[in-house]
Amino acid sequence: MPAMDCKMFANGLQMAAVTMACICHVHVAQAQAQAPTMTASGPAGTNYTDPLSAPLQSPPGMCTAAKSTPATVTLQANSSTVHWGYYYAGATPNLVINSGDTVNVEMCTQHGGDDYDKIVKGDPGIESIYNWTSSGPTVGWRGATGKGDGVHVLTGPIYVCGAEPGDVIQVDILDLEPRPNPGNDNRTYGSNAAASWGYHFRAGFLDGMKREIVTIYELIQAANGKSYVAVPDYQFKYGSFGLPQAPASYIGPVSNCTDFAGPLPELAQNLVYNFNNSGQTFRSMIQVPCMADNTQQWEGLYYPGVITQHPTGTEDYSIRGKFKVPINFHVGSMGLAQATNVTIDSVVPMMGGGNVDDRRMGIGATMYYPVAVEGGLISMGDAHTAQGDSEFDGTAIETNINGRFKITVHKKASLEPMLQNLDFPLLENANEYVVHGYTLKDYLTLPDPSQIYKMSSLDMAFTTAYNSTRDFAMRTFNLTEDQAITAVTTVMDFGVTQVVDGNWGVHVVIPKWAFTNLNDTTTPYAPVTISGTSTLLNATMPIIQTATAG
């Protein structure tokens, strides 16, 4: 069959990607339509008919040799290019690239409904993602099983030609910029939800009254057009959380009813992968019934993408002028599909990345991910304006952000020592390596992976992080185990990445300075970047320069 220009499938249209450096002969969905079917079991109340006896393989001839000049392409965020709340090895790629290509990726926050007018309204692509009529939401399958068990809007997946299991995909984060909303004077807002999965719910409230509070932030632009500071605009109570709270008349936002059942939207015809939620049971087994008027009322943050109707009567503007937040744009969730036959909850970080929620995944950082399925199938989203280590209250300042990424494949046969046997997402910037460990390195090996939420443990995460760091140091710096132990203790910093994503995270920061120019014993250690932003220390950036380096 004659070769034809590779296509991007966006907005339901085949748009010739004239700058793409690969040739498609057969769209991946055509191969999916020929895949065998099998039945698999899922969580209670969920019916699966799984089309896959093994993760999908791409059809022969999908990619050709890369052109001499790597391509630069764009993957827009709209209802046709995102998947909501899951990673999936059976997903049809929305973009096909070659190793070395640069991709502009638009990322949509899952918290746009917290203030629809400020964050969503007027931006056609984002509006299409949040569209939800009486007949159902445009993006209807939200979460691993369609019940909100997974919350992030992820753009992708991107198929990387030549990537095979055992290889490593490198993602250089070249740029991250706030997405101005043309419907709101090109201003950018974000949302921080102090949610029930935040650690503060474990620590308790001074008045004993549990509550979920949302804070809306505005990003302030400097004269040069750059954003360096976010300021709180107002707060509101998300819902009554099932408790008698003032104002007693406000229970929570109202939506049209969620889908009771439906097929996974990314699969080709002739393949059936259905969910059934006739009990209208959502996160933490909370029931939110569909009323006679085809609406649901949400007392808490149980399902992503619900739009709050303002005013709620709980808005509080007293937070204005109380503090300012140094901006640290980073990608909360970026990762590869895993070798499983079912959808994977986007909340829980995994060996192939996903919801790592490390504030260091900013401009200038490079991520390395072990490849589990052909093409890698990388997706990204959950972009943040700012977040401290731990992501303590459950979320960051969740924001629509556009990013630019260079994606490169490293083949298994020629991996350098630091990438050999990689089984965690590795971060590198100009002055550091960062190793990521979790409660369980590979929670997907559990008989019921959802049980990871009941196993959250910093003790276990410290052990996993230490083991991975020791092994990394031994192979990268040619150390013995005993040498690695003392180096870990005297040179490296352990930190808590997040305590909110089920598979709690601990990271280890390794300064390159300690292992380079060993004959230079007079030059002190001085990081060349600010941890978390990879911003040069000598850059003229108000506020951000007050952040702690290292």
Side-chain angles (χ1 to χ4, degrees):
M1 174 169 132
M4 59 182 178
D5 286 340
C6 193
K7 307 290 184 182
M8 288 189 297
F9 294 84
N11 291 313
L13 301 175
Q14 293 184 356
M15 300 185 298
V18 295
T19 57
M20 292 189 66
C22 63
I23 301 295
C24 284
H25 292 272
V26 184
H27 193 261
V28 174
Q30 293 176 309
Q32 290 175 327
Q34 302 170 4
T37 60
M38 62 176 289
T39 300
S41 61
T46 304
N47 297 327
Y48 291 96
T49 302
D50 194 333
L52 308 175
S53 58
L56 288 176
Q57 301 289 308
S58 68
M62 182 173 173
C63 301
T64 62
K67 295 180 180 178
S68 57
T69 301
T72 298
V73 294
T74 297
L75 183 57
Q76 298 177 341
N78 56 58
S79 60
S80 299
T81 60
V82 303
H83 46 107
W84 201 320
Y86 57 88
Y87 286 86
Y88 182 40
T92 302
N94 281 308
L95 183 64
V96 181
I97 65 170
N98 272 313
S99 177
D101 287 350
T102 296
V103 186
N104 299 310
V105 180
E106 299 177 357
M107 293 172 285
C108 168
T109 176
Q110 69 274 15
H111 279 276
D114 294 341
D115 193 322
Y116 184 90
D117 286 354
K118 285 182 167 63
I119 302 174
V120 177
K121 186 176 180 180
D123 186 323
I126 308 302
E127 284 184 339
S128 74
I129 294 169
Y130 276 87
N131 184 49
W132 190 344
T133 67
S134 58
S135 60
T138 301
V139 184
W141 185 306
R142 301 182 184 182
T145 67
K147 302 178 183 179
D149 49 346
V151 300
H152 306 101
V153 180
L154 300 171
T155 309
I158 300 169
Y159 186 102
V160 187
C161 294
E164 300 173 299
D167 297 344
V168 171
I169 283 182
Q170 171 183 334
V171 181
D172 299 313
I173 305 175
L174 304 179
D175 196 16
L176 297 170
E177 289 286 344
R179 182 184 179 97
N181 185 354
N184 193 24
D185 296 327
N186 287 319
R187 298 159 80 175
T188 303
Y189 287 82
S191 171
N192 169 250
S196 61
W197 57 86
Y199 201 91
H200 62 298
F201 263 66
R202 295 171 181 260
F205 293 83
L206 292 176
D207 59 6
M209 296 295 290
K210 294 181 179 180
R211 54 194 178 271
E212 292 183 313
I213 300 296
V214 175
T215 306
I216 300 298
Y217 286 82
E218 182 178 4
L219 283 62
I220 305 301
Q221 282 194 347
N224 62 359
K226 295 291 185 179
S227 297
Y228 302 126
V229 176
V231 296
D233 188 29
Y234 71 98
Q235 296 181 297
F236 68 94
K237 192 173 296 180
Y238 186 83
S240 64
F241 208 66
L243 300 172
Q245 299 183 27
S249 60
Y250 183 67
I251 298 175
V254 176
S255 72
N256 290 308
C257 286
T258 56
D259 291 333
F260 289 101
L264 191 66
E266 298 185 319
L267 290 179
Q269 294 181 350
N270 304 323
L271 296 180
V272 181
Y273 185 27
N274 289 334
F275 78 92
N276 180 347
N277 190 19
S278 58
Q280 294 290 277
T281 302
F282 300 90
R283 189 176 57 80
S284 302
M285 301 305 293
I286 293 171
Q287 287 191 318
V288 183
C290 181
M291 308 304 289
D293 62 352
N294 192 40
T295 63
Q296 290 171 282
Q297 189 158 35
W298 304 88
E299 298 182 1
L301 286 156
Y302 307 143
Y303 189 80
V306 173
I307 296 172
T308 292
Q309 296 81 35
H310 291 285
T312 65
T314 70
E315 287 82 1
D316 179 0
Y317 293 87
S318 65
I319 195 171
R320 287 182 176 177
K322 293 291 182 71
F323 59 91
K324 55 191 174 185
V325 180
I327 278 179
N328 167 26
F329 295 125
H330 59 279
V331 184
S333 186
M334 176 166 60
L336 311 185
Q338 298 300 284
T340 66
N341 295 335
V342 295
T343 47
I344 298 172
D345 179 352
S346 71
V347 170
V348 185
M350 52 194 178
M351 289 175 59
N355 196 34
V356 176
D357 277 332
D358 187 345
R359 64 184 179 84
R360 296 158 186 79
M361 290 172 61
I363 301 168
T366 294
M367 295 299 300
Y368 300 94
Y369 300 105
V371 177
V373 300
E374 186 175 314
L377 294 181
I378 184 168
S379 300
M380 56 193 72
D382 186 34
H384 298 163
T385 286
Q387 175 204 301
D389 280 336
S390 84
E391 199 178 16
F392 186 83
D393 76 1
T395 67
I397 300 181
E398 312 286 337
T399 316
N400 299 326
I401 288 177
N402 297 333
R404 183 161 53 92
F405 308 88
K406 181 180 178 182
I407 301 177
T408 306
V409 176
H410 297 276
K411 299 302 293 180
K412 179 180 180 180
S414 56
L415 293 175
E416 57 183 301
M418 77 171 194
L419 298 181
Q420 293 173 6
N421 302 312
L422 186 66
D423 56 3
F424 61 87
L426 172 67
L427 185 151
E428 180 184 12
N429 63 30
N431 56 278
E432 302 163 339
Y433 299 106
V434 182
V435 173
H436 294 100
Y438 315 122
T439 298
L440 292 181
K441 177 175 289 188
D442 185 8
Y443 83 99
L444 294 173
T445 60
L446 292 172
D448 179 2
S450 68
Q451 292 301 303
I452 188 63
Y453 288 99
K454 299 179 180 179
M455 300 173 63
S456 303
S457 165
L458 283 179
D459 286 347
M460 295 171 67
F462 265 93
T463 299
T464 302
Y466 162 69
N467 289 337
S468 293
T469 302
R470 176 201 59 205
D471 296 348
F472 176 83
M474 290 175 67
R475 66 176 180 262
T476 303
F477 307 122
N478 192 29
L479 303 179
T480 67
E481 180 180 18
D482 292 338
Q483 293 166 350
I485 290 172
T486 189
V488 166
T489 301
T490 59
V491 173
M492 306 174 195
D493 289 324
F494 285 70
V496 177
T497 320
Q498 50 77 21
V499 288
V500 296
D501 295 335
N503 205 11
W504 288 0
V506 168
H507 59 268
V508 184
V509 179
I510 306 171
K512 296 178 181 179
W513 176 90
F515 302 95
T516 56
N517 300 321
L518 297 182
N519 293 326
D520 181 358
T521 58
T522 60
T523 303
Y525 174 52
V528 297
T529 64
I530 296 173
S531 179
T533 64
S534 297
T535 302
L536 293 178
L537 285 174
N538 61 4
T540 303
M541 297 189 70
I543 306 306
I544 282 187
Q545 288 192 344
T546 65
T548 302

